[in-house]
Amino acid sequence: MPLNATQLSAIESSVAILLASGAPLVAELRRKFPEVTFVRCPQEDMEGTPYLSGDGYQLYLINRSEVCISVTDSPQQADGVVIAL
């Protein structure tokens, strides 16, 4: 299921709030958005331009429709988010 602008905005807000609160980031995001895949990794593990950037984090969109996961800049092709810290 492709991501839409409303979901991405809610995800970005949630990431900022969860990071500020110290709550378990990926577990809470998976609970709140069960239809979206979330992965957390260090920023140095990511290449390319993030889809969104916040204070201390970047969000990359991923597509899991193929055998290998790929980074995409298209929400219409994305079904997950990498949170790079």
Side-chain angles (χ1 to χ4, degrees), residues 18-40:
L18 291 167
L19 285 173
S21 73
L25 181 63
V26 172
E28 287 299 314
L29 289 170
R30 287 178 179 157
R31 184 186 61 73
K32 190 169 183 177
F33 306 97
E35 70 283 2
V36 180
T37 298
F38 291 98
V39 178
R40 178 181 172 174

Side-chain angles (χ1 to χ4, degrees), residues 54-69:
D55 187 23
Y57 66 90
Q58 286 82 36
L59 302 181
Y60 294 82
L61 303 181
I62 55 173
N63 178 325
R64 299 176 305 126
S65 66
E66 300 296 326
V67 174
C68 294
I69 293 173

